[in-house]
Amino acid sequence: MDTAEFRRRGKEMVDYVADYLDNVEQRPVYPDVEPGYLRSLIPAEAPLEPEKYDDIMTDVERVIMPGVTHWHSPYFYAYFAAASSYPAMLADMLSTAIGCIGFSWAASPACTELETVMLDWLGKMLNLPEDFIAGTEGQGGGVIQGTASEATLVSMLAARCKAVRRIQASNPEKSEADILSKLVAYTSEQAHSSVERASLIAGVMMKKVPADNNYGVEGAMLKRMLEQDKADGLIPFYFCATLGTTPSCAFDHTTELGPICNEEQMWMHIDAAYAGSAFICPEFRPLLNGVEFADSFNFNPHKWLLVNFDCSTMWVKKRESIIGAFKMEPLYLKHENQESGLITDYRHWQIPLGRRFRSLKMWFVFRMYGLQGLQDHIRKQVDLAKEFESLVRADSRFEICAKVVMGLVCFRLKGSNGLSELLLKRITKSREIHLVPCQLSTRFVLRFAICARSTESRHIQHAWKHITKLTSEMLEYRH
Amino acid sequence: MDTAEFRRRGKEMVDYVADYLDNVEQRPVYPDVEPGYLRSLIPAEAPLEPEKYDDIMTDVERVIMPGVTHWHSPYFYAYFAAASSYPAMLADMLSTAIGCIGFSWAASPACTELETVMLDWLGKMLNLPEDFIAGTEGQGGGVIQGTASEATLVSMLAARCKAVRRIQASNPEKSEADILSKLVAYTSEQAHSSVERASLIAGVMMKKVPADNNYGVEGAMLKRMLEQDKADGLIPFYFCATLGTTPSCAFDHTTELGPICNEEQMWMHIDAAYAGSAFICPEFRPLLNGVEFADSFNFNPHKWLLVNFDCSTMWVKKRESIIGAFKMEPLYLKHENQESGLITDYRHWQIPLGRRFRSLKMWFVFRMYGLQGLQDHIRKQVDLAKEFESLVRADSRFEICAKVVMGLVCFRLKGSNGLSELLLKRITKSREIHLVPCQLSTRFVLRFAICARSTESRHIQHAWKHITKLTSEMLEYRH
């Protein structure tokens, strides 16, 4: 394909994309395919000779689209939102064309520098403490990770390294293996599975802290566990707090937890993967209080801030603690300006070596929406969640299972878990709307998350009508 | 930005991208900016209100482009190639629009299933042993990782888990901490820095195996180290072989190393990040011999197979060993079809949870080029490297430092390292071409890698003319 053909096909693709997104609500949100459906629809081997482009696009509709779960349908209410906006898409096209691999400053200065400044922009929108802002002299700063899972892992590795060095400094006789076997990381029982997974990767013990009745961890509860573990000869070194848990968007009490972590010389990481975007609104910012005690903070603009995946933004107070954890300097990655202080080599901040020019997406989105446009988006989606909550509350067969703070509504049918499980099966099978469950205490709960940018009140109303219709059918059938 | 404006701006962006790539050789390949250049060119904070799109595009030329290292300039010869092709870009646009986060089968069946089949297609192109092909019944199969660093880490974690389980099965009294402190991973002293980094992350010991005169590791050398380490009470559990090292594109002797690893119950991972793409050509396929002994194999189509970053393809013989290493099953990620055998939940195969629909890029590229078109691309770039090698060999001031097998030429000025270091400084400063150095034994060596898809003979000839001109000026000046 030469440039002339790309010009033609690229413009066709722009229209295909625009048509897809404009009409996505006409497609069944959840696909009607059986596992293994795709293999039989295409050849078993790649072609020897080039095929026609039109045949590929025909196959997109024949092979791909029937198997897509449409995350940007206004009837998609599963998991959490995946961000999507036109400015981000345009920036992504540009990023792909530039196609630099920005592992070091020299590998593409603009890629590194725009990222540092965009993280400062976003940090200021969140009113993050000055310690987290890079500026020209700061010791902290931000980085784009691929996912919150990676941010958690990177923070845990940095904490592990720091703890081992600190303990060896005062106890030079202790081996690293001995120390590692006694390190304990903590997180809420409500935390995302990726936190426990990080501890498996890092090879350290992980303990789950019980949450309170609102599914948040209190300081006293952590404190009690720490005392016991220290008495048992263990070494607490890391706590991952969650602001906006995945099951119910609950909030750990970071203003209580932070001082405890600081006192115990534990690294506090805050994972606000979903909720973080809302902190750009003054009315939600108090939920971030306590971040001043944290060593690192992370959230996903690729969830709720209109910057398409992947863009998980992470800030640290001391970049040295994160860089020091696994710095490698082979000659083929060295460059002249490396030690100047102004330079950031982001490869030291992350698990992969290579990285795309992702900050372009942030730049385009922030400028095309402005802070106010982004706030409008958050507020609109929270209002839609409140609207859905009212509908649920007005129907006495249902109950709300957790406080609705942002764009997530947790609800269930009163009575046995089996009822709600059956209802969810019917919802999934109907393919008109899509949502997933969670477990809160022992209860099976349905999660209704406002996801697509195009979701409006009429979609919420339709979704609720659909749910109540299935409920009535189901309850009738059972009688 | 509404859909109508996206149609207009998207088409403009297609033209901008086409113009950029068509004319990239007119731009200085390496930017003339000082560290910190960008911050002063843009505001310190995000705007409150939306800005005009045209202003952003003006700023792309004013702020971004002056700081870009142009990886797709035909005068870019640094690191290794970063793949770029129009079919991959079109697929990327589609992938961004679909915007699904394919962590599980249910989260978008097409995303998962196309990936499994594309990895089979590519595995067959490489003539991988049947064990690595998923098919409908296979125990192995492939996955797209973001980078080779992640593939290495994932394989090491799987090996670590397998080793601990195996040893505890026969020695139930041994603690995990005790076992971990004795595990040893091995790799060549020429291996990429990310291999050692993986061992830091995994918290296991790593030993570097000396390479032979051609910079490859021989079986005997590994064997000797293993015997010594076992005698010292250590537990060898993992070897990462490299096919096509980063410094000089050297090849470990996997046909010797493989049987040793199998005998010692060590996991053998093969990292062919750069060279792997060439194995689709029958004349290069013998270099992959020995892969039949490997537990996992990885290379980067995003380097040399025209699939834009990120797309690092990894195959395992037993998917269970990789999934088992860090499987987590919270309710919100469960789905009905999970246990059917045909299902793959790729989140268990990788470090991040989220993942883009990256197999679309492979599908578009394989179909628009065909196997023959891809082979043509590899062969053309190898020929260009040979052409450059001839030029170097014809100038008695220079020497070739490693056998030229693929698209990389390692060369230097005869004499002290200082000479070549000075030459590289002049090359970098001139900004006409861009390359990076490496170290081979004690020698400072210049790496000339054929990178851009648009590189032709005339660019190679020009580059050499430029290098010899700088050399002559430099040598004259010194006399």
Side-chain angles (χ1 to χ4, degrees):
Chain A
M1 183 179 287
D2 62 13
T3 309
E5 192 183 354
F6 171 72
R7 286 182 201 270
R8 185 175 143 219
R9 300 309 191 177
K11 289 164 191 174
E12 288 174 11
M13 185 61 88
V14 167
D15 279 326
Y16 182 87
V17 164
D19 291 340
Y20 170 71
L21 289 171
D22 263 3
N23 301 307
V24 64
E25 76 176 87
Q26 320 296 341
R27 299 182 188 253
V29 59
Y30 189 67
D32 186 11
V33 295
E34 290 300 311
Y37 89 94
L38 184 142
R39 191 177 286 272
S40 60
L41 297 180
I42 65 174
E45 293 187 26
L48 267 185
E49 314 222 2
E51 296 186 38
K52 287 202 199 91
Y53 183 78
D54 287 328
D55 292 343
I56 298 177
M57 286 310 291
T58 304
D59 281 352
V60 168
E61 281 300 334
R62 183 181 67 91
V63 177
I64 303 299
M65 285 302 172
V68 170
T69 304
H70 297 288
W71 282 58
H72 302 289
S73 161
Y75 295 117
F76 182 90
Y77 306 109
Y79 315 110
F80 274 130
S84 177
S85 72
Y86 290 128
M89 286 185 209
L90 293 168
D92 218 35
M93 289 164 68
L94 179 60
S95 163
T96 303
I98 293 175
C100 62
I101 313 294
F103 43 73
S104 70
W105 182 84
S108 216
C111 176
T112 294
E113 297 204 7
L114 187 66
E115 182 162 335
T116 308
V117 179
M118 284 306 103
L119 271 283
D120 277 2
W121 276 23
L122 185 52
K124 289 173 189 172
M125 286 192 226
L126 295 171
N127 198 14
L128 280 187
E130 192 61 31
D131 290 347
F132 290 107
I133 306 298
T136 50
E137 317 248 290
Q139 292 181 29
V143 61
I144 302 176
Q145 303 281 358
T147 58
S149 311
E150 289 163 85
T152 304
L153 176 58
V154 164
S155 69
M156 198 182 287
L157 293 169
R160 186 185 71 176
C161 177
K162 201 177 163 190
V164 169
R165 283 180 195 164
R166 178 171 57 82
I167 292 158
Q168 282 192 325
S170 49
N171 307 272
E173 78 289 356
K174 286 203 179 164
S175 73
E176 185 169 337
D178 185 34
I179 298 169
L180 285 178
S181 71
K182 296 203 166 48
L183 292 181
V184 192
Y186 301 81
T187 198
S188 167
E189 60 179 8
Q190 293 288 321
H192 193 268
S193 57
S194 56
V195 183
E196 186 175 353
R197 204 157 174 269
S199 74
L200 290 181
I201 294 169
V204 293
M205 210 181 308
M206 157 75 56
K207 297 203 175 189
K208 302 281 187 70
V209 188
D212 66 13
N213 291 336
N214 291 316
Y215 309 108
V217 168
E218 293 170 348
M221 193 54 95
L222 175 65
K223 187 83 182 163
R224 213 169 308 148
M225 287 183 76
L226 297 180
E227 295 310 327
Q228 182 62 51
D229 288 343
K230 285 194 294 178
D232 292 345
L234 299 176
I235 310 171
F237 82 105
Y238 177 88
F239 177 71
C240 176
T242 311
L243 297 179
T245 59
T246 306
S248 67
C249 197
F251 293 79
D252 287 346
H253 302 257
T254 40
T255 50
E256 297 169 19
L257 295 157
I260 298 172
C261 291
N262 287 180
E263 199 173 301
E264 301 284 345
Q265 300 191 62
M266 292 166 68
W267 184 293
M268 182 161 86
H269 175 67
I270 295 181
D271 170 15
Y274 166 68
S277 297
F279 302 148
I280 63 167
C281 301
E283 65 273 29
F284 291 115
R285 177 58 179 77
L287 289 165
L288 182 57
N289 289 347
V291 69
E292 60 275 19
F293 301 110
D295 296 280
S296 51
F297 167 68
N298 169 254
F299 82 97
N300 293 348
H302 70 226
K303 280 200 165 66
W304 207 13
L305 211 59
L306 297 171
V307 183
N308 294 43
F309 188 88
D310 51 341
C311 180
S312 180
T313 47
M314 177 187 195
W315 290 263
V316 289
K317 268 188 192 156
K318 293 205 187 310
R319 52 170 85 190
E320 245 168 57
S321 49
I322 206 166
I323 295 170
F326 36 64
K327 193 169 182 173
M328 295 273 146
E329 293 282 18
L331 188 56
Y332 51 81
L333 294 178
K334 278 203 171 136
H335 53 87
E336 276 198 331
N337 287 307
Q338 207 147 13
E339 304 302 333
S340 81
L342 271 173
I343 298 283
T344 300
D345 280 352
Y346 275 125
R347 67 196 164 90
H348 302 306
W349 297 54
Q350 60 175 20
I351 305 293
L353 174 61
R355 55 208 324 276
R356 306 176 72 225
F357 199 159
R358 292 176 292 199
S359 54
L360 283 173
K361 291 187 289 198
M362 298 174 73
W363 199 40
F364 273 54
V365 168
F366 296 165
R367 296 182 67 180
M368 287 304 291
Y369 280 88
L371 176 57
Q372 287 172 357
L374 296 170
Q375 289 170 336
D376 289 347
H377 170 67
I378 298 286
R379 286 169 181 150
K380 176 181 163 190
Q381 295 215 318
V382 175
D383 287 347
L384 289 171
K386 301 273 187 198
E387 180 179 342
F388 186 80
E389 181 192 10
S390 310
L391 294 169
V392 177
R393 285 198 191 278
D395 188 326
S396 63
R397 297 172 297 179
F398 290 89
E399 60 186 348
I400 293 289
C401 306
K403 197 178 165 196
V404 178
V405 182
M406 294 184 174
L408 175 69
V409 182
C410 289
F411 71 108
R412 70 193 289 277
L413 277 164
K414 289 174 185 165
S416 76
N417 280 341
L419 275 180
S420 293
E421 283 176 34
L422 202 60
L423 174 58
L424 180 62
K425 273 197 181 148
R426 286 179 172 242
I427 292 173
T428 303
K429 215 178 151 190
S430 79
R431 301 176 205 286
E432 274 201 41
I433 64 174
H434 189 52
L435 37 81
V436 294
C438 73
Q439 193 178 326
L440 290 176
S441 305
T442 58
R443 291 177 305 174
F444 183 92
V445 170
L446 276 60
R447 292 171 76 267
F448 189 92
I450 310 298
C451 289
R453 184 170 50 86
S454 57
T455 307
E456 302 286 348
S457 171
R458 67 183 171 91
H459 302 110
I460 303 295
Q461 294 289 340
H462 178 83
W464 181 244
K465 206 175 284 175
H466 179 65
I467 291 170
T468 49
K469 178 172 150 270
L470 292 180
T471 301
S472 300
E473 284 172 13
M474 184 182 89
L475 294 177
E476 212 161 281
Y477 179 80
R478 286 170 58 94
H479 284 301
Chain B
M1 184 180 285
D2 62 13
T3 309
E5 192 182 355
F6 171 71
R7 287 182 200 270
R8 183 174 146 221
R9 300 310 191 176
K11 289 165 191 174
E12 288 173 11
M13 185 61 89
V14 166
D15 279 326
Y16 183 87
V17 164
D19 290 341
Y20 169 72
L21 289 171
D22 262 2
N23 301 306
V24 64
E25 77 176 87
Q26 320 295 341
R27 300 182 187 254
V29 58
Y30 188 70
D32 186 10
V33 294
E34 290 300 311
Y37 88 95
L38 184 142
R39 191 177 285 272
S40 60
L41 297 180
I42 64 174
E45 293 187 24
L48 268 184
E49 313 224 2
E51 296 186 39
K52 288 201 197 91
Y53 182 79
D54 285 329
D55 292 344
I56 299 176
M57 287 310 291
T58 304
D59 280 352
V60 168
E61 280 301 332
R62 183 181 68 90
V63 177
I64 304 299
M65 285 301 172
V68 170
T69 304
H70 297 286
W71 282 59
H72 302 289
S73 161
Y75 294 117
F76 182 89
Y77 307 108
Y79 315 108
F80 274 129
S84 177
S85 72
Y86 290 128
M89 287 185 208
L90 294 168
D92 219 34
M93 290 164 67
L94 179 60
S95 162
T96 303
I98 294 175
C100 62
I101 312 294
F103 42 73
S104 69
W105 183 85
S108 214
C111 177
T112 294
E113 296 205 7
L114 186 66
E115 184 162 334
T116 308
V117 179
M118 284 306 104
L119 271 283
D120 277 2
W121 275 24
L122 184 53
K124 289 175 190 171
M125 287 193 226
L126 295 170
N127 198 13
L128 280 187
E130 193 61 30
D131 289 346
F132 290 106
I133 306 298
T136 49
E137 318 248 289
Q139 292 182 27
V143 60
I144 302 177
Q145 303 281 359
T147 59
S149 310
E150 289 163 84
T152 304
L153 176 58
V154 164
S155 68
M156 197 182 288
L157 293 170
R160 186 185 71 176
C161 177
K162 200 176 164 191
V164 169
R165 284 181 195 163
R166 177 170 59 80
I167 293 158
Q168 282 192 325
S170 48
N171 306 272
E173 78 288 356
K174 286 202 179 164
S175 74
E176 184 168 339
D178 184 36
I179 298 169
L180 284 178
S181 72
K182 296 202 166 49
L183 293 181
V184 192
Y186 301 81
T187 197
S188 168
E189 59 180 9
Q190 293 289 319
H192 193 268
S193 57
S194 56
V195 183
E196 186 175 352
R197 205 156 173 270
S199 73
L200 289 181
I201 294 169
V204 294
M205 211 180 307
M206 157 75 57
K207 297 204 174 189
K208 302 281 187 71
V209 188
D212 67 14
N213 290 336
N214 291 316
Y215 308 108
V217 167
E218 291 170 350
M221 192 54 94
L222 175 65
K223 188 84 184 163
R224 213 169 307 147
M225 288 182 76
L226 296 181
E227 294 310 326
Q228 182 62 52
D229 288 343
K230 285 192 294 178
D232 292 345
L234 299 176
I235 309 171
F237 81 105
Y238 176 87
F239 178 70
C240 175
T242 311
L243 296 179
T245 59
T246 307
S248 68
C249 197
F251 292 79
D252 287 346
H253 301 258
T254 39
T255 50
E256 297 169 19
L257 295 157
I260 297 171
C261 291
N262 288 179
E263 200 172 303
E264 301 284 345
Q265 300 191 62
M266 292 166 67
W267 184 293
M268 181 161 87
H269 175 66
I270 295 181
D271 170 15
Y274 167 67
S277 298
F279 302 149
I280 62 166
C281 301
E283 67 272 31
F284 291 115
R285 177 57 179 78
L287 289 165
L288 182 57
N289 289 346
V291 69
E292 60 275 19
F293 302 108
D295 296 281
S296 52
F297 167 68
N298 168 255
F299 83 97
N300 292 347
H302 71 227
K303 280 200 165 66
W304 207 12
L305 211 58
L306 298 172
V307 183
N308 294 43
F309 188 88
D310 51 343
C311 180
S312 180
T313 46
M314 178 188 195
W315 290 262
V316 291
K317 268 188 193 157
K318 294 206 188 307
R319 54 170 84 192
E320 244 169 57
S321 48
I322 206 165
I323 295 170
F326 35 66
K327 194 169 182 173
M328 295 272 147
E329 293 282 17
L331 187 57
Y332 51 81
L333 293 178
K334 280 206 172 133
H335 52 88
E336 275 199 333
N337 288 305
Q338 208 147 13
E339 304 301 334
S340 81
L342 271 173
I343 297 283
T344 301
D345 279 352
Y346 275 125
R347 68 197 163 91
H348 302 306
W349 298 54
Q350 60 175 21
I351 305 294
L353 173 62
R355 56 205 326 274
R356 305 176 72 227
F357 198 160
R358 293 176 292 198
S359 55
L360 283 173
K361 291 189 287 197
M362 298 174 73
W363 198 42
F364 273 55
V365 167
F366 296 166
R367 295 183 68 180
M368 287 303 291
Y369 279 89
L371 176 57
Q372 287 173 359
L374 295 170
Q375 290 170 335
D376 290 347
H377 170 67
I378 299 286
R379 285 169 182 150
K380 177 182 163 188
Q381 295 216 317
V382 175
D383 287 347
L384 288 171
K386 302 273 187 197
E387 180 180 342
F388 187 80
E389 181 191 12
S390 309
L391 294 169
V392 177
R393 286 199 189 276
D395 188 327
S396 62
R397 297 172 296 179
F398 289 90
E399 59 186 350
I400 294 287
C401 305
K403 198 178 165 195
V404 178
V405 183
M406 295 183 174
L408 176 68
V409 182
C410 288
F411 70 108
R412 70 193 290 277
L413 277 164
K414 289 174 185 166
S416 76
N417 281 340
L419 275 180
S420 292
E421 283 176 32
L422 203 60
L423 174 58
L424 181 62
K425 274 196 179 147
R426 286 178 173 242
I427 291 172
T428 303
K429 215 179 150 189
S430 79
R431 303 175 202 285
E432 275 201 38
I433 65 173
H434 189 52
L435 38 81
V436 294
C438 72
Q439 193 178 326
L440 290 175
S441 305
T442 58
R443 291 177 306 173
F444 183 90
V445 170
L446 278 60
R447 292 171 76 267
F448 188 93
I450 310 298
C451 289
R453 185 170 49 86
S454 57
T455 307
E456 302 286 347
S457 171
R458 68 185 170 88
H459 302 109
I460 303 296
Q461 295 289 339
H462 177 84
W464 181 245
K465 205 174 284 174
H466 179 65
I467 291 169
T468 50
K469 178 172 149 272
L470 292 180
T471 302
S472 299
E473 285 171 13
M474 183 181 89
L475 294 176
E476 214 160 278
Y477 178 80
R478 287 170 55 96
H479 285 302

